[in-house]
Amino acid sequence: MVAPTSSPDTSTARHGPPDAVRVVGVVLALTAVIALMLFAFAAPAVNSGPHALKIGVAGPDQAVARIEAGLSGARPGAFAPQRYADAEALRSAIEHREVVGGLAVGPDGPAMYVAGAGGAPVAQVLTATAAGLSEAVGRPVPVRDVVPLPADDPAGAGLNSLALPLVLGGLVPAIALVRLFPRRVGLRVLGAVGFAVLAGLTLTAVLQFGFGSLTGNYWATAGALALGLAAVSLPLLGLESLFGLPGFGAGAVLMMFVGNPLSGFATTAAWLPQGWGTFGQLLPPGAAGTLVRSVAFFDGHGGGTAVLVLSAWVVAGLALCAASARRRTVAA
């Protein structure tokens, strides 16, 4: 009687590569993800700075021409001067967010006008430029803040810290609603809209009344923040409803690792490299940051395009959710 021979172990063939190989693959993949995350956040920061900043110049033609030449020589490519009739016209342009600041030459000499609430790095560069000009002309060049940050938060820390809560405020509710209502698209939409409204009111109250970081109309600022939150969460819900986890993952990566670092929340889009800042303003985090800043400090000036961008994302998210609901109705 011949003893039966044992068959070779085929569990490895059935179940894929050995565990050691899988561990190496996971480690390499996670390392690549971390490296990409670092690049996504570090690249805009490293390459940020004054690039064709729109600033106004006002005064006699000869004086303005000298200023423009001086700015071009001191910081090539940093500024894009625009002429205004006088200091009052320049102030109005700053308040309407047509320019980020400017220099006006009057009977008492030149004066630099900045908007601290428009972005601290930009105001700092203009202040440093005024200091350099003081040495050149042999007399102090005063710096006048047309739209300052609140006295309770002179560094703008409260507004700057809003970037991550805004993105997570769209991601986390979407995840929760997907898990709670896997087949109820309508309830997801209602939950996302309700959360956006309540969170907008709450976050604005904390920043404005708790920390004194905002000074604009409370209801308008809360509405701007709610629109931004909805513009993040509704597209994610729509993508998940139509394409499942891959769709949600792609949307989350776009919002977190592209939209967040390119939002210019702390610096404004004008501080980001050309092209990067423009693209960031087409995504919800960047548009929401611009709109909140405009409403909170500039009476809404400069926020029109941001409203259109955020509204388009909200409509796109609702359209995706509606398409998913209709497909499920037909399938049933």
Side-chain angles (χ1 to χ4, degrees):
M1 182 176 180
V2 180
T5 58
S6 59
S7 60
D9 185 6
T10 60
S11 60
T12 299
R14 288 197 306 268
H15 298 291
D19 289 343
V21 175
R22 295 171 64 189
V23 168
V24 172
V26 169
V27 169
L28 292 176
L30 292 176
T31 303
V33 170
I34 293 296
L36 289 174
M37 288 172 59
L38 174 62
F39 177 82
F41 283 90
V46 170
N47 292 283
S48 292
H51 303 281
L53 291 175
K54 291 183 179 180
I55 65 170
V57 289
D61 290 340
Q62 290 184 345
V64 167
R66 288 196 300 269
I67 290 172
E68 292 175 342
L71 291 174
S72 178
R75 288 178 175 266
F79 303 112
Q82 300 184 27
R83 295 194 179 192
Y84 290 90
D86 50 35
E88 286 305 314
L90 174 58
R91 291 178 63 96
S92 178
I94 296 172
E95 292 169 349
H96 286 74
R97 306 206 76 183
E98 297 173 7
V99 293
V100 297
L103 192 64
V105 179
D108 298 329
M112 182 68 77
Y113 293 82
V114 303
V122 176
Q124 290 168 3
V125 164
L126 294 180
T127 301
T129 302
L133 183 60
S134 298
E135 297 180 1
V137 300
R139 58 184 296 181
V141 175
V143 177
R144 297 166 183 166
D145 200 338
V146 178
V147 187
L149 285 162
D152 290 337
D153 188 8
L159 181 62
N160 297 345
S161 66
L162 188 58
L164 188 59
L166 176 72
V167 177
L168 291 180
L171 285 172
V172 174
I175 295 172
L177 291 167
V178 165
R179 292 182 62 86
L180 290 173
F181 309 107
R183 300 182 182 277
R184 305 290 298 277
V185 177
L187 286 179
R188 293 182 185 181
V189 171
L190 289 176
V193 172
F195 172 81
V197 172
L198 184 57
L201 292 169
T202 302
L203 294 178
T204 303
V206 170
L207 288 176
Q208 187 153 342
F209 306 126
F211 299 138
S213 300
L214 306 177
T215 59
N217 180 276
Y218 166 75
W219 298 103
T221 305
L225 189 51
L227 182 61
L229 289 166
V232 174
S233 61
L234 288 174
L236 293 177
L237 290 177
L239 288 170
E240 197 283 333
S241 297
L242 273 181
F243 307 110
L245 185 59
F248 183 91
V253 168
L254 179 66
M255 299 295 181
M256 177 63 75
F257 300 122
V258 180
N260 193 26
L262 295 184
S263 66
F265 228 105
T267 62
T268 75
W271 195 251
L272 294 171
Q274 285 185 316
W276 296 21
T278 301
F279 179 68
Q281 292 301 297
L282 297 177
L283 300 175
T290 295
L291 182 57
V292 171
R293 189 184 294 273
S294 295
V295 173
F297 299 113
F298 294 88
D299 294 328
H301 296 301
T305 300
V307 171
L308 294 177
V309 170
L310 294 174
S311 299
W313 281 95
V314 168
V315 170
L318 292 174
L320 290 172
C321 290
S324 172
R326 182 174 182 179
R327 186 178 67 178
R328 295 185 183 190
T329 301
V330 172

